[in-house]
Amino acid sequence: MKLLDISEVSCQTGIAASAIRHYEEKGLLTSVGRRGLKRLFGPEVLDQLALITLGKTAGFSLDEIKSMFRPDGRPDISREKLTEKAEELDEQIRHLASLRDMIRHVAVCSAPSHMECPRFRKLLRVGGKRQPAGVRKNTRFGSL
């Protein structure tokens, strides 16, 4: 088994060494030793980092991602969590598609100004409401 030092891991994955150290501090990765001052990792770290990157891209927190690994570093991903995240992403996609459609409407609206466009005014009323921290906004602009 060829061990990789942190700079090799960083070079192969494109992930900054500081991020790799951070993931190790958070318990997502485990180094297997040191060569001088550089941390050493087994080759499985490349797959672990790919999963961490994928999880972050999908919107999982680092704590959520950490729970997807067994203590030995092998993946153990809950299908229920994946289904929940897919549903959240579906909602975000619907929301963003509706917002995109609204922006396109406003861009070509024949009203003399955006503020005279009834749909834009409605967007401002609906979209301008602040939500308390931790509360997800379920506003659908598509019905405006």
Side-chain angles (χ1 to χ4, degrees):
M1 169 172 79
K2 180 183 185 292
L3 297 179
L4 305 167
D5 72 38
I6 194 167
S7 61
E8 292 172 306
V9 173
S10 177
C11 185
Q12 287 188 35
T13 63
I15 298 171
S18 59
I20 296 168
R21 286 190 295 274
H22 178 70
Y23 297 153
E24 184 180 16
E25 289 168 14
K26 297 282 284 176
L28 282 91
L29 304 172
T30 303
S31 60
V32 294
R34 290 186 180 264
R35 182 183 304 141
L37 295 176
K38 292 185 176 184
R39 291 170 167 89
L40 295 173
F41 296 91
E44 69 279 355
V45 75
L46 301 176
D47 287 338
Q48 291 169 327
L49 286 167
L51 285 170
I52 291 168
T53 301
L54 181 63
K56 285 179 57 181
T57 301
F60 287 102
S61 71
L62 290 182
D63 287 334
E64 289 172 319
I65 295 169
K66 182 180 177 181
S67 74
M68 296 178 187
F69 289 103
R70 294 180 184 157
D72 65 3
R74 292 186 333 193
D76 184 19
I77 304 169
S78 161
R79 292 175 190 273
E80 183 179 331
K81 285 183 183 178
L82 291 175
T83 300
E84 289 172 10
K85 183 56 72 176
E87 290 170 4
E88 286 178 27
L89 290 171
D90 283 341
E91 179 59 31
Q92 288 176 0
I93 290 166
R94 284 190 294 274
H95 175 79
L96 290 171
S98 295
L99 183 57
R100 176 207 58 215
D101 294 345
M102 176 56 65
I103 290 170
R104 283 188 176 147
H105 165 78
V106 172
V108 298
C109 181
S110 61
S113 80
H114 301 316
M115 296 307 287
E116 294 177 56
C117 171
R119 289 183 72 187
F120 183 71
R121 299 289 299 176
K122 193 169 187 180
L123 171 67
L124 290 178
R125 283 193 307 278
V126 173
K129 294 179 183 173
R130 305 285 266 165
Q131 295 290 319
V135 175
R136 291 204 54 188
K137 200 171 197 172
N138 284 327
T139 305
R140 294 282 314 272
F141 296 112
S143 61
L144 296 178

